[in-house]
């Protein structure tokens, strides 16, 4: 929208008041109609995702993931619903990425309004200052991709009423009746209290979620996968994000504010949504925990088992259920492995299989098949940019040609040298 | 801008034509004026960056990097000029990040126009379809941060005339006369030919640049620092990004198109600009090469020395100059180390020192001082989210208590286990 056009309109109205003229009204009408049309016509809804390679197809580069052998059925993304809690520096970018990927339904939660102090992060614009973050997000996202169903909740999930609405919305059927509940919750909040509330809701519902966070000094962050009963919940372990009980509002009141950078938040949002896509569309490996230390470009990973003495009763209940279902899970995994093995003997057909986290951690047969899917099916003329982690050789630290001592410290020193190189 | 408001205006104009009424004109005038004001008032230019913690300060969270002990003088960012070549999925996001960070001057190069097929990546909007990418970028970026000087070049750098203009613009004084030349070039192009052209220009000018790329299957990418004469140039080593001579236009013509994801491109843009900020504002360590394998969340690093037999004559010339200046560099590094050591003996004052890549690789005294700056100066109540890479212990793979064989394969196996865990 051109501000100059509006100024011209004001001058026309002034002239009109001096001398009423039907022809002038017609010209103004035409002018305003011209202002309406472009934005409205820019992108109409699209019924089916097409893989046709034409400039006018917003999904061609996503559907190409199938031809590249990365994803089996990209269009399934339209069947999924994702809830994003916290539409700040990470959540807003995550929402935009999922919108551009054509996710079926996005549920957005935030209680805050847009301020100029948010402009050092991606997504919000100065002309949205004063709007609620959810309204501003819906405004921007619906313009980018009208195919995505957007539901916005301007509420504080840490209040009793807010929590009830939050919990209800995670279970509810979508307005078009296509989806029931959500497939994944992404936590993009900036304080401990809100994380504990998301943790509580997901433990109660047995809802898989991913947590994200950025440090107060703006130079590191993390993402984490939480599957109630199966992985550590947010209350199981001393949380890695420690604000010592001081949340952002407190910090502001004392005249101290946390630093933030669009880079760190963009990287964390990208890693978060990439893992959400891997989880939903079943490709690659979903990281249980991935850190980002930007000063050294260091990315620690780890896994955390649930704590049987967790202070959260819903977590303990989910752990019990998970243990009870172990024999059934083991039998199903075994049957699938056998079926895959015999199918592999007969023909090299690509099997429809289900990469759940529970399968990945005790079955080696799953991982290689993902990689070979990606590596073997590149079209002619294309070469993988990076070697896969399996084939890549880290530059090995100098090793003396003599005997290596039976010495853990020596091994650790070599690992440190590799990590800091 | 609300489309509904424009529709209401159309109805008012229709009514006005039926019955001319000065009061109705006044109401419409007020309405249009209300549409003008917010956008115009949203953000005016700001003379000095303030660290004041108020909602209306767009730089408060960036200036906080100083209080957090990450950056010595954030406002220096206004003195820097960055050229971004290729305003696609990576370059556009890099430009937005730098704009929101308040970079002094951005030079943008692209010859392409916005298409709906670009909508699966961040930044461009459907209503910008048909505009040149540089014009669309200037439109969006100037709205986000009017303090940034934007120069746009809609040209193809791989043509003779385009290359001349490109080379000239990299050396030229800025329009306000504050800056001469650029401080860094970011290459965000999608084909081999354009990378070789950026490489040629930077070798000729002795200009430090960073290269970025995303694989054709959309699931991996990389960034790389190139300092003419000091590191490998793009022609020194067989390039890691191999499109086998097939560029994007060729791919399109054959009905095959490369896949792309907003996630991978957002991560690569974030890593690229984070390293650009580290390089310009002198904090942390600039990565010589950083890969991103998103299927496994694996981030390989490496360093590449220049090739004395490089096919690029300008590269060989820069290598010669770099070798000739070695005694002077060594003497300067030694003098600085001694000055630092004696200063550290006397008082623990934070020294103004110059982290050049040439210093990092043979001096251990530099690294700890960066880390201690960050770690020691956190305000009360704040704790670092992630341990620094130095203090973080990777979960060690099970090691047998017996003697470890003098066996590189065994060490490699353990490293692989750590990398794939």
């Amino acid at each position: 929208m051109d501000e100059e056009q509006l100024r011209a309109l004001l001058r026309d109205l002034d002239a009109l008041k001096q001398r009423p003229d039907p022809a002038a009204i017609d010209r103004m009408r035409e002018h305003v109609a011209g202002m309406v049309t472009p934005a409205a016509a820019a992108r109409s809804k699209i019924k089916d995702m097409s893989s046709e390679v034409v400039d006018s197809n917003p999904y061609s580069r996503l559907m190409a993931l199938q031809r590249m052998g990365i994803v089996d059925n990209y269009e399934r993304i339209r069947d999924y619903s994702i809830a994003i809690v916290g539409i700040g520096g990470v959540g807003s970018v995550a929402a935009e990425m999922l919108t551009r990927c054509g996710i079926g339904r996005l549920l957005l939660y935030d209680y805050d309004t847009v301020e100029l102090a948010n402009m050092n992060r991606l997504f919000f614009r100065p002309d949205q200052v004063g709007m609620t973050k959810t309204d501003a997000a819906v405004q921007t996202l619906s313009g980018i991709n009208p195919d995505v169903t957007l539901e916005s909740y301007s509420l504080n999930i840490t209040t009793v009423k807010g929590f009830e609405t939050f919990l209800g919305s995670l279970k509810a059927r979508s307005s078009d009746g296509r989806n029931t509940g959500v497939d994944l919750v992404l936590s993009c909040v900036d304080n401990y209290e809100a994380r504990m509330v998301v943790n509580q809701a997901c433990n109660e519902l047995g809802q898989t979620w991913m947590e994200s966070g950025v440090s107060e000094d703006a130079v590191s962050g993390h993402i984490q996968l939480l599957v109630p009963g199966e992985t550590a919940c947010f209350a199981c372990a001393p949380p890695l994000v420690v604000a010592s009980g001081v949340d952002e509002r407190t910090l502001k009141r004392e005249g101290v504010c946390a630093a933030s950078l669009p880079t760190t938040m963009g990287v964390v949002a990208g890693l978060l949504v990439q893992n959400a896509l891997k989880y939903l569309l079943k490709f690659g490996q979903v990281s249980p925990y991935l850190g980002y230390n930007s000063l050294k470009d260091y990315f620690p990973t780890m896994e955390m088992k649930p704590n049987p003495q967790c202070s959260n009763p819903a977590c303990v209940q989910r752990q019990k259920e998970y243990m009870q279902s172990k024999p059934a899970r083991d039998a199903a995994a075994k049957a699938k492995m056998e079926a895959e093995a015999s199918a592999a003997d007969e023909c090299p057909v690509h099997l429809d299989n289900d990469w759940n986290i529970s399968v990945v951690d005790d079955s080696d047969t799953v991982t290689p098949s993902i990689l070979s899917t990606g590596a073997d099916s590149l079209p002619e003329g294309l070469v993988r940019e990076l070697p896969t982690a399996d084939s890549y050789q880290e530059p090995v630290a100098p090793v003396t040609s003599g005997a290596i001592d039976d010495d853990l410290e020596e091994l650790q020193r070599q690992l440190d040298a590799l990590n800091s190189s």
Side-chain angles (χ1 to χ4, degrees), chain A residues 1-19:
Chain A
M1 176 53 53
D2 194 337
E3 198 186 316
E4 192 40 53
Q5 290 183 307
L6 292 174
R7 293 245 166 72
L9 212 54
L10 288 179
R11 286 192 297 271
D12 288 347
L13 284 167
D14 290 342
L16 196 64
K17 207 177 165 191
Q18 299 293 318
R19 197 171 70 88

Side-chain angles (χ1 to χ4, degrees), chain A residues 3 38 49 73 93 99 296 313 368 385 387:
Chain A
E3 198 186 316
M49 283 186 175
N73 180 357
V93 178
T99 296
K296 295 198 135 193
E385 185 194 18

Side-chain angles (χ1 to χ4, degrees), chain A residues 152-187:
Chain A
S152 85
Y153 299 87
S154 193
L155 53 81
N156 183 344
I157 62 164
T158 66
T159 64
V160 174
K161 195 164 172 301
F163 181 74
E164 271 172 27
T165 310
F166 175 51
L167 206 62
S169 65
L170 292 182
K171 292 184 288 191
R173 183 174 287 270
S174 66
S175 51
D176 62 1
R178 281 177 71 190
N179 308 85
T180 306
V182 300
D183 300 285
L184 191 63
V185 174
L186 303 182
S187 168

Side-chain angles (χ1 to χ4, degrees), chain A residues 192-209:
Chain A
Y192 179 78
E193 191 187 1
R195 283 186 176 88
M196 287 301 267
V197 168
V198 176
N199 188 59
Q200 179 63 32
C202 291
N203 277 343
E204 285 186 26
L205 299 173
Q207 172 66 56
T208 297
W209 62 294

